[in-house]
Amino acid sequence: MFRYLQYSTKRFALGLIFVAASIFLPQSAFGANSYWVGTAGGDWSDENNWASTNPASCTGGGAGVPGAGDTAIFDADCDNNATMDANIDVLGININSGYTGTISPSAAIDITIGTSGFVQAGGTFTSTSGTMTINSGAFNRTGGTFTHNSGTVAFAANSYIGGTITPGTSLTLYNATFSQAIPGDYDSPTYNLAAGFTVAGNLTVENTSDSNTLQVQALTPNSNPTITVNGNLSLPSTPGSSTALYFGSASASYNFTVALAGDLSISDAQANL
């Protein structure tokens, strides 16, 4: 059911009948830092383009390509552009303030980011035309330029929390998804929206867990951020649709607004709007 706070032909605010009972913090994941020191336009997959300690310049490579336990860091000490030439699986990506280069893919790769999340304070990041998945980590953009590149950004909770989404100024994603697939009986993840953003294509919200709920809500009371969806909004039926999906909050102060240009499709019988 909808609680209408403001309404036009395609605009609605989201509220809930229920609220998830509790939030459980996950165990922290710690890994190594990998610093970009590559030549201009160098390949991400070249081990010689990464250093294990913070460099003073684009030197000191050979530390190996960052993996699932590592955070890839770009900072002002090496402003060279980077080419994402193969699938990426890292704990986090951190683009520091002062980095002025461009990080872009050479093909429709998949980018997987863990609990350290995606952090951008500088530079230009061109996402993949494939899928960029952030697994139970934050999306924290306070500067720089993010280009969507006609791909999908998937906020995918696979731990006991979702994450905070800080989109920064004028963020546009092409397609976006909120989902979770945590097995077993655990507390359920929540995605908190620090501000609004635009989805140029379609937004999908789905809960594929067999026992845990998923919730999306505003981070700050009475902030009422707006997600503008130029395509369709879909809440599909999934194998986990026997458990609840909350797209909004039971408390009016944590509601957010969706400005929808396309169609609304709800096939999940446990969806609460």
Side-chain angles (χ1 to χ4, degrees):
M1 289 183 288
F2 296 103
R3 180 186 304 161
Y4 292 94
L5 300 184
Q6 53 180 322
Y7 179 83
S8 63
T9 303
K10 290 292 187 179
R11 181 178 290 266
F12 51 88
L14 303 174
L16 293 177
I17 303 302
F18 309 104
V19 66
S22 60
I23 297 174
F24 190 85
L25 295 177
Q27 292 181 337
S28 298
F30 298 95
N33 290 333
S34 296
Y35 295 87
W36 174 254
V37 293
T39 57
D43 289 339
W44 183 294
S45 65
D46 187 341
E47 66 178 13
N48 294 311
N49 289 335
W50 298 95
S52 59
T53 58
N54 193 355
S57 62
C58 297
T59 58
V65 179
D70 306 319
T71 297
I73 299 175
F74 298 82
D75 65 20
D77 294 319
C78 184
D79 282 323
N80 286 340
N81 296 343
T83 300
M84 298 182 287
D85 61 314
N87 290 342
I88 293 169
D89 187 356
V90 292
L91 185 66
I93 294 177
N94 193 335
I95 308 169
N96 291 337
S97 176
Y99 177 77
T100 60
T102 296
I103 307 160
S104 59
S106 60
I109 63 169
D110 289 330
I111 301 171
T112 302
I113 301 172
T115 53
S116 287
F118 177 84
V119 180
Q120 183 179 16
T124 296
F125 185 87
T126 300
S127 189
T128 176
S129 56
T131 301
M132 173 177 167
T133 302
I134 303 175
N135 287 320
S136 294
F139 182 100
N140 185 6
R141 176 176 168 261
T142 57
T145 300
F146 185 97
T147 303
H148 61 67
N149 197 25
S150 301
T152 297
V153 174
F155 302 103
N158 65 355
S159 182
Y160 311 120
I161 61 172
T164 297
I165 299 171
T166 304
T169 303
S170 301
L171 175 69
T172 297
L173 307 179
Y174 189 70
N175 293 318
T177 65
F178 291 100
S179 68
Q180 70 104 352
I182 306 171
D185 187 13
Y186 298 104
D187 288 326
S188 301
T190 297
Y191 281 102
N192 295 298
L193 307 177
F197 58 92
T198 296
V199 179
N202 301 320
L203 174 62
T204 302
V205 186
E206 57 185 347
N207 182 10
T208 59
S209 172
D210 58 1
S211 59
N212 304 291
T213 62
L214 171 66
Q215 180 162 336
V216 183
Q217 65 178 23
L219 173 66
T220 305
N222 302 312
S223 60
N224 193 27
T226 296
I227 302 177
T228 299
V229 182
N230 293 332
N232 301 322
L233 171 60
S234 175
L235 287 76
S237 177
T238 68
S241 290
S242 61
T243 53
L245 167 62
Y246 302 97
F247 195 49
S249 174
S251 171
S253 62
Y254 288 94
N255 282 342
F256 61 93
T257 296
V258 171
L260 180 62
D263 296 327
L264 172 65
S265 173
I266 304 176
S267 299
D268 187 341
Q270 299 300 318
N272 296 272
L273 305 178

